[in-house]
Amino acid sequence: KAGVTQTPRYLIKTRGQQVTLSCSPISGHRSVSWYQQTPGQGLQFLFEYFSETQRNKGNFPGRFSGRQFSNSRSEMNVSTLELGDSALYLCASSLEGLAGVDTQYFGPGTRLTVL
Amino acid sequence: GENVEQHPSTLSVQEGDSAVIKCTYSDSASNYFPWYKQELGKGPQLIIDIRSNVGEKKDQRIAVTLNKTAKHFSLHITETQPEDSAVYLCAASKTGGGNKLTFGTGTQLKVEL
């Protein structure tokens, strides 16, 4: 099976712009989670989508949003970019997480640089 | 919410030695504990995980132990090799919390020849 894919791999934006990142989960996986990784804060949970609905949300401002499509592919959007949004954005997919916690498989990430 | 602490932040060992990384968690309801290996420029890769109904799990040179009473779990790597050099991340999660993982701050492991 193909792994989790994320596009684009690298992105450079300027403050105030907005950005959309894409994630395609492993075939058959219905849950997609997004994480932000920075040297200072480490890996932090942004949100999780399952069956096109946001099931979990971390402690990030409303500028961070996401959605999931019927084929389980997901996008996340960051509006009004700030310098502090520079980070590696990671997507992880898992089966369902209904009966318990399912193993999460990560993609390679999108490196976002905000100038 | 859940808080996961990980120690040490850096670990240097000689090739062939063992390496141990420890994590503690705060939420006693947590019941799933994965370990990930992250190489430079790549996403985290799952190397082993353990659920709270077992105390130890082993996969070749890698083992994880869990102490629910003390709320800590550890990663053990035996016979380390240079290719084991990477950042290791522990995480915790619980049933009913969806698939949200709370991560530790990571351990940079360096295996020296």
Side-chain angles (χ1 to χ4, degrees):
Chain A
K1 276 187 181 179
V4 179
T5 58
Q6 292 187 244
T7 56
R9 291 293 313 279
Y10 302 92
L11 209 47
I12 299 176
K13 292 286 187 179
T14 56
R15 279 180 299 175
Q17 288 187 310
Q18 74 167 15
V19 66
T20 299
L21 313 180
S22 181
C23 171
S24 292
I26 293 170
S27 177
H29 285 192
R30 297 172 60 193
S31 167
V32 174
S33 298
W34 288 89
Y35 295 82
Q36 181 196 65
Q37 186 174 33
T38 61
Q41 300 297 318
L43 251 168
Q44 291 186 294
F45 175 79
L46 280 157
F47 31 65
E48 179 202 7
Y49 285 86
F50 174 74
S51 288
E52 304 178 63
T53 302
Q54 188 180 85
R55 182 162 67 176
N56 260 309
K57 189 177 189 306
N59 297 322
F60 279 82
R63 299 185 297 107
F64 292 82
S65 63
R67 60 176 174 169
Q68 186 180 36
F69 303 95
S70 58
N71 61 357
S72 294
R73 190 178 70 84
S74 177
E75 290 181 345
M76 68 162 281
N77 183 277
V78 188
S79 62
T80 319
L81 284 166
E82 301 177 359
L83 295 178
D85 296 334
S86 293
L88 181 67
Y89 289 88
L90 292 158
C91 164
S93 81
S94 58
L95 283 170
E96 293 185 344
L98 295 176
V101 182
D102 286 325
T103 301
Q104 291 191 48
Y105 299 89
F106 283 82
T110 294
R111 172 72 62 186
L112 172 65
T113 302
V114 182
L115 302 176
Chain B
E2 173 70 280
N3 183 50
V4 177
E5 294 189 357
Q6 183 172 347
H7 299 281
S9 57
T10 60
L11 180 59
S12 185
V13 299
Q14 294 293 314
E15 183 181 9
D17 287 349
S18 295
V20 180
I21 303 170
K22 298 180 179 179
C23 289
T24 59
Y25 60 98
S26 61
D27 189 345
S28 57
S30 289
N31 58 1
Y32 175 65
F33 308 93
W35 285 90
Y36 288 86
K37 175 183 180 182
Q38 188 173 24
E39 297 177 271
L40 200 61
K42 296 183 179 180
Q45 178 187 9
L46 180 75
I47 55 173
I48 196 167
D49 58 8
I50 191 168
R51 297 185 186 270
S52 60
N53 56 346
V54 298
E56 183 174 0
K57 184 177 179 181
K58 190 174 182 180
D59 182 4
Q60 299 183 341
R61 297 186 296 110
I62 294 173
V64 57
T65 59
L66 172 64
N67 183 325
K68 289 186 291 183
T69 303
K71 291 191 284 187
H72 68 71
F73 55 110
S74 300
L75 177 70
H76 304 253
I77 305 174
T78 58
E79 301 173 15
T80 53
Q81 302 166 2
E83 51 267 38
D84 293 330
S85 297
V87 173
Y88 290 82
L89 297 156
C90 67
S93 187
K94 63 183 178 183
T95 303
N99 282 317
K100 174 184 177 180
L101 291 173
T102 300
F103 281 88
T105 49
T107 296
Q108 174 73 60
L109 173 65
K110 183 178 181 181
V111 180
E112 299 176 333
L113 296 172

